[in-house]
Amino acid sequence: MSVFNQSRGRVVQIIFGAVFVIILIQLINLQVFSAKYKLAAENNAIYRKIIYPDRGIIFDRKRRAMLENTISYDLVVTPVESKGTDTLALCQLLNIDTVEYKKRMREIVFKNTSVKPSVFEALLSQELFAKLYENMYKFPGFNLIDRSVRTYPYNTGAQVLGYIAEVDTGFLRRHREEGYEMGDYAGMNGLERTYEKVLMGVRGIKRYIRDNKSRIQGPYENGMFDTTAVAGRNLYTSVDVEVQQLAEKLLANKIGSAVAINPKTGGIIAMVSSPNYNPNDLTGSARRKNLGRMLLDTSRPMFNRAIKGQYPPGSTFKPLGAVIALDEGLITPNYGVSCFGSYTNCGVLVRCEHNNAGHAANLRLALANSCNSYFSDIFRKAIDNPDYKNPTGGYLKWKEYMNAFGMGTKLDVDLPSEDRASVPDTAVYNRAYGKNRWNSCTILTLGIGQDKMTSTPMQLANMMCVIANKGSYYTPHFVDSIEHEEAEDKAVLAKYREKHIVTHTSDTVFRAVHDGMHDVTVYGTAAAIKVPGVEYCAKTGTAQNPHGKNHSIFVCFAPKDNPTIAVAVVVENAGYGSTWAGPIGAFMMEKYLNDTIATDRLAEVERISNTDLVPSAIKEWYVRKDNQRQARLALEAANKAAQMNEEEENADKLPNAVPKTEEPKKEKDSKKSTKANIALYLHADDRFKVKKSKA
């Protein structure tokens, strides 16, 4: 044999040898290392049923369950086993078409493979469950799996409690090591999300042996490999569900927020963001329908204004300004200024609501009368304090006080997505005016809670806690304790049980501020707002708003000498603090302290609740949406009527059909006209804009 042929034969041998080795390695991989076919084989012989545990219950301070568990069902499919399914019958029951059926199947296979069970239709209504249960023999590969879902007996606290939803691929990537699978549900907001690990419990699994026709024959290995589901643990909160309900009622038809905290513990008694929503709207089969509508709503019912809304605190900041000036030794409680209705020392007119002589003769009078001149003056003293050499140094010390009182910083409330709001850094003013080119006059309105300073309602309520406690606070929180607390739980809750000392200012200083805030409720700006049988301290605020009417703000705590509740209320675009925010705060204190609302005051509760203060721009959006919905329904009705008319005409063309008279033709013409008018009506937005611009 020639050398050339020997070389070629050797190459062929090497190729055959390499192919053999590759096949051998692949066989070893499939038989020994790969779990893919093993899993498929096991799924053919063993049915693995997940047992979802009951989630933990969340209780209010009186051990009333704010949410409960009920049973719902998911329709689950294992795609590889679904051959032979009566697709048309299933689609008719689910009210979907075959295109949607195939789309869902493709997504399930892509996300979770064809051999693992996945949710095909989640949280079935009772009617749909009954229909499917009777016809399951037509749908091999499909099963009905029970799961625990939430119900809310008090229909309140949506922003506090949050909601649960099925996990998606993004969630699974973020929580890769936590054992979640497709089809699981997890907390997506509120306490459900923050305490997910406590509430979720542990899933159980039962395994059943199947025959060659996939029929279940009994437990696999007598249940040796089954695991038991462990229910989630309960949360015990500081929330008073009745105060929460009252606050939501009072803020109905308004945009704003209210927060109530127990200063002695930091426990949050109530937290409301308005507009709100019924938590039952985001549970069960109703969730998909309502979630999209809420996300598109311009009033943003899912936006938690209590921890994310940013508002200038306005005059409600003045008690804190007084504490800073007193603590720094810049003034005494007897310090006064001569004010005749405005402050002009900076060349900029800052007006007061009062111009009677002597209304700022001392701190108590200045607080009671909310004197802008007084608090502008003491703010300048803080910024121009010679101990800090220049306005930048004075401002940094002032900002340090603000942050210590929880302003302009996250409080670390046990809810996700808390905002820090804003107490500007010196860099902000350096950019705006130039370095070393600004002073106490440049930023004067910070002294009355305006300029670039903002705060959340939660921060305002916490500020009241610090003043009520005379210089200390506990981090605001909802959960006081967890059922069967473990070491990990204690570590989580430890930060809410730690007392924070903000300042070592003497009680005498705080007593002066308390007396001034009490005078606000006796003869000052909140004199008309009473709480039966309770003496309380308060401060009203009317915060300027560049986007519309002023915001109505009110902060308070009660009782005066032994505070157990501190409240902050913000009502957007509602004017004076004493007009709307003040009465709402007073009713919340009354309900908490007296456990009831006096009978002769119930009519006032109804009046406030029924008063609509939603800005006109948002109302117009609702009107347009309703018009479009009505027009769409009318168009669908017209289309259906036209289709029926066309079917009748086709029937007339059949042999022996009775000829139609001219009258039905006129009716058809009128239907065409109706459709045309409705189509124009669907463009009501454009016509509205044109009319508005012409006006």
Side-chain angles (χ1 to χ4, degrees), residues 328 330 380-390 394:
E328 285 287 285
L330 301 172
R380 289 193 65 197
K381 290 183 183 298
I383 304 304
D384 297 334
N385 189 341
D387 291 346
Y388 306 111
K389 298 181 181 179
N390 55 47

Side-chain angles (χ1 to χ4, degrees), residues 277-294:
Y277 63 92
N278 187 326
N280 285 300
D281 289 345
L282 290 184
T283 189
S285 57
R287 180 180 175 273
R288 288 193 298 272
K289 177 179 67 176
N290 294 319
L291 183 61
R293 172 179 59 81
M294 291 180 190

Side-chain angles (χ1 to χ4, degrees), residues 571-642:
V571 184
E572 294 185 22
N573 309 112
Y576 290 114
S578 59
T579 305
W580 295 108
I584 292 172
F587 279 120
M588 290 174 67
M589 288 190 294
E590 180 179 354
K591 179 64 179 175
Y592 181 74
L593 296 172
N594 298 342
D595 205 32
T596 187
I597 301 295
T599 305
D600 60 343
R601 290 165 55 82
L602 293 175
E604 180 66 5
V605 171
E606 295 299 325
R607 183 189 73 83
I608 294 173
S609 174
N610 294 327
T611 301
D612 191 343
L613 299 175
V614 176
S616 58
I618 292 178
K619 290 180 185 177
E620 288 163 359
W621 182 87
Y622 279 115
V623 170
R624 293 197 298 274
K625 280 293 180 185
D626 188 60
N627 286 345
Q628 289 178 346
R629 186 180 67 84
Q630 296 293 342
R632 186 171 62 253
L633 292 174
L635 182 59
E636 290 172 358
N639 282 332
K640 189 173 182 180

Side-chain angles (χ1 to χ4, degrees), residues 49 114 261 304 335 378 428 460 465 521 560 570 574:
K49 181 179 180 180
S114 63
I261 304 175
N304 191 344
Y335 176 78
I378 66 172
V428 174
L460 292 176
C465 289
T521 70
K560 175 181 178 291
V570 177

